[in-house]
Amino acid sequence: MTTDSADAPHSARVRPPTAPGPATVAVHPPRGPARETLPPPRPGRGVRQRAVAPLVAGDFLATVCTAPAVLGTGTAPTALGPLALGLLLLHSRAGLYRPHPAPSLLGELPALLGRAAICWCAVAAVLAAVRPAQALPPALLVGAVALHTALVCGARALVHRARRAAARRRPRATLIVGPDPAARQLAAVLHARPGYGMRPVGLVTTGAPAGSELPPGHAGPPRLTSPQDITRAVIRHTVRDAVFTVPPYGDPYTAALLRRFIDQGSAIWLAGAAAALEGRPPPSASGHLWGFAWRRLETAPPRQGGADKRALDLVLAAVALVVAAPVLLGGALAVRLADGPGVLCRQECVGRGGRSFLLLTLRTRRPCDGEEATAPGSGTDLRTSRIGRLLRRTGVAGLPRLWNVLCGELSLVGPCPEHPRTVERFTRSCPEYGARHRMAPGLTGLAQVHGLHDGSPVEDRARFDNLYIDSWSWGQDVRIMLRAVARLLRREGR
């Protein structure tokens, strides 16, 4: 027999409602996420890979056509593989395969010419050393570089032309982040020039005064004012690009937006003043978009544990559950004998992606006068039993949570689990708080081992939790668990 919500975690407790009237208790909360809390899809990654493939194919075909003409049919097959591979690697290192809304062949020409010269000079040096009789004369070497560059430029010109035509037919859905009027001006430019391949579907304005509205008759994209609006726009339009007209790390709100777009797999672009590099003007090689300085923000893929973290959780939680089984059974028996039926309590908490789950703990509280236990906030006076205080002090009360870890609802290390009402309140007050749900909550975490528990500033806890998620590693998880065990031993030794 279990008691639902009889023991809320300390961080998840809420005060009783001040308004009169009966309180309702959701004994079995929904396990699935609401529509607004669904994590955005991961669009754009496959699209960008398909955009790179024609350029790679064009460069390879140009190499295939140049090698026999210069080296002859006898030597060309042997040199073709190293030559093509070296050229593709050099082009990739130079950023010639990075997507750009307005690629310029003239802007790429110096890089293409220089790398063709490097590759063919290397081929000529190898031939002179291995086969002196087939060494390339200077005139033929210059001709090879010129022919190769011309063929590569021709292939790339066809690819760029086809890409611009496809962009006009099917522009990618784009969100623009920045203050008015710069964001609205950029949206107007992209709308008037579909050749850039971006279709603004929403403006996420920053720094707008409270209550400000768009001018009457404004036909541009709608203003998105809440995380739910952004999520719905991403899902509805399959947003593939996000453009920032302000530095994305300038304040917590834009930093939270940047983290959200990176997690969903969108390409991040910087326009205008945001395209500057550490206060310096943007490099000319980054190009422009109808007068707006323009460059792509290189971001690392999200590192949120995934299968590696899940494997660590399964192994350690299974071992810990087996080792602690006698202690867990003893604690459950003590609760049953001392406080009556209802050994376990289940508390609704918010997990990864905003999904609700039931957090299991041994019951440490009992209702006064033998009444049935109810959830916090229902008005029933609950008190901690003597055995409950012992179980909390020793940490035995939290051992059933290892089952949540095995079920995948909880992790050994992660953000602190919170009640849905607490999450809703903190999400409104702290822009970075919602990003904590990129990872499953944990038994302990970076914030907890630094002494940040219930009552600590929510901004501090959100900053620690997001730092942990962004820099996740196995080593960090092990260090946090060791620090949590050390803190528990010091507390018991007092």
Side-chain angles (χ1 to χ4, degrees), residues 173-467:
T174 305
L175 292 181
I176 300 177
V177 182
D180 277 337
R184 205 182 311 156
Q185 291 172 353
L186 180 59
V189 167
L190 294 176
H191 179 76
R193 291 164 177 81
Y196 289 126
M198 294 185 178
R199 175 173 57 90
V201 296
L203 298 179
V204 185
T205 54
T206 60
S212 62
E213 300 291 341
L214 294 176
H218 175 70
R223 176 179 291 172
L224 308 178
T225 58
S226 68
Q228 291 79 10
D229 292 340
I230 297 174
T231 300
R232 282 192 288 266
V234 168
I235 296 175
R236 178 182 178 183
H237 300 286
T238 313
V239 173
R240 299 171 181 169
D241 298 86
V243 182
F244 284 76
T245 62
V246 292
Y249 294 105
D251 59 79
Y253 180 67
T254 54
L257 287 174
L258 175 65
R259 186 179 291 113
R260 186 184 188 93
F261 291 134
I262 291 176
D263 290 339
Q264 78 189 22
S266 297
I268 309 299
W269 305 92
L270 305 180
L277 295 172
E278 298 178 353
R280 295 172 294 174
S284 59
S286 62
H288 68 92
L289 194 149
W290 201 249
F292 285 91
W294 189 268
R295 69 182 178 91
R296 179 170 177 171
L297 180 64
E298 297 299 330
T299 57
R303 298 176 55 198
Q304 299 169 13
D308 295 340
K309 183 175 177 62
R310 179 64 180 147
L312 182 66
D313 287 343
L314 285 174
V315 172
L316 295 184
V319 173
L321 194 58
V322 171
V323 173
V327 179
L328 178 58
L329 293 176
L333 181 61
V335 172
R336 178 65 176 83
L337 295 177
D339 299 330
V343 172
L344 292 176
C345 92
R346 300 182 296 174
Q347 169 66 28
E348 180 185 2
C349 289
V350 177
R352 183 173 184 175
R355 296 174 176 84
S356 297
F357 71 98
L358 297 178
L359 185 68
L360 301 177
T361 56
L362 287 178
R363 181 165 60 88
T364 59
R365 291 188 144 203
R366 60 185 176 186
C368 294
D369 300 328
E371 296 178 0
E372 184 180 358
T374 57
S378 63
T380 302
D381 184 17
L382 298 178
R383 63 182 182 183
T384 304
S385 63
R386 182 178 302 177
I387 189 65
R389 286 192 293 270
L390 177 62
L391 294 178
R392 282 188 177 182
R393 188 168 61 250
T394 57
V396 177
L399 289 180
R401 299 181 185 183
L402 292 172
W403 180 256
N404 292 115
V405 176
L406 293 178
C407 294
E409 301 164 333
L410 204 64
S411 178
L412 293 176
V413 181
C416 181
E418 303 278 7
H419 190 274
R421 282 172 287 187
T422 305
V423 170
E424 183 180 358
R425 185 172 70 252
F426 287 164
T427 301
R428 289 196 300 265
S429 62
C430 179
E432 293 187 294
Y433 186 82
R436 300 166 69 254
H437 301 128
R438 296 174 293 159
M439 180 179 284
L443 299 179
T444 186
L446 186 63
Q448 293 92 308
V449 298
H450 281 85
L452 299 177
H453 298 283
D454 184 37
S456 303
V458 62
E459 294 81 4
D460 292 345
R461 286 191 284 160
R463 184 168 59 253
F464 270 85
D465 289 336
N466 286 318
L467 175 63

Side-chain angles (χ1 to χ4, degrees), residues 82-111:
L83 178 61
L85 181 60
L87 186 72
L88 296 179
L89 290 176
L90 289 176
H91 283 188
S92 178
R93 293 285 295 178
L96 294 174
Y97 296 130
R98 295 173 186 170
H100 195 282
S104 172
L105 187 60
L106 289 178
E108 297 173 347
L109 181 59

